[in-house]
Amino acid sequence: MKKSSSLHWLLASQWLEALSQITKANNVISVKEAFKLNDDAKVVLEGKIKSHIKSDKYEFVDKNGDTIVVEIDNKKWGNVTANEDTLLRIRGEVDKDLTKTKIDVDSVEVVK
């Protein structure tokens, strides 16, 4: 009986951790907050593309006016068409190295 009870507790705690990660992944944070996170942290940001830097790199600005470089591969855009006035929600991971922080974008959607 103890093994079954321990297994149920373990599964429940894993489920709660997964739910916590999903909840965190849906919470929009600011660019300033993203800069404070560790490498590979999942983030959701809302804002606009301020400028196209080159290739798949863009300058992204949030509602506070703070900017960060985001890397959006062509296939990640999906059916989204955006200009500098389009409010976007991007999901991705923080990519930190010694001197730079950027966001590797997994998905892009227009905020309605």
Side-chain angles (χ1 to χ4, degrees):
M1 201 65 148
K2 282 189 175 186
K3 279 187 178 181
S4 177
S5 180
S6 295
L7 179 61
H8 284 101
W9 186 87
L10 178 63
L11 291 174
S13 70
Q14 289 174 340
W15 181 82
L16 288 173
E17 177 61 25
L19 185 59
S20 171
Q21 292 301 319
I22 290 169
T23 302
K24 287 178 188 173
N26 287 324
N27 289 335
V28 176
I29 64 169
S30 70
V31 167
K32 275 188 182 177
E33 290 172 309
F35 274 110
K36 296 176 187 175
L37 296 175
N38 293 330
D39 189 39
D40 296 326
K42 298 279 190 190
V43 295
V44 180
L45 301 173
E46 285 186 1
K48 299 176 182 179
I49 299 295
K50 184 174 180 181
S51 63
H52 183 205
I53 299 169
K54 66 176 182 173
S55 183
D56 57 358
K57 290 185 176 43
Y58 302 85
E59 186 177 24
F60 184 85
V61 60
D62 69 7
K63 67 182 179 182
N64 301 317
D66 297 313
T67 61
I68 193 167
V69 173
V70 296
E71 187 172 314
I72 310 173
D73 296 331
N74 284 337
K75 62 184 175 195
K76 303 293 182 173
W77 281 101
N79 294 327
V80 173
T81 303
N83 62 35
E84 64 276 352
D85 296 320
T86 308
L87 184 59
L88 301 172
R89 180 177 299 119
I90 60 171
R91 298 175 192 277
E93 296 89 32
V94 174
D95 183 12
K96 285 192 174 199
D97 65 25
L98 293 175
T99 60
K100 294 182 276 184
T101 299
K102 66 177 181 169
I103 305 297
D104 283 331
V105 176
D106 295 324
S107 68
V108 179
E109 62 184 276
V110 176
V111 176
K112 297 179 181 186

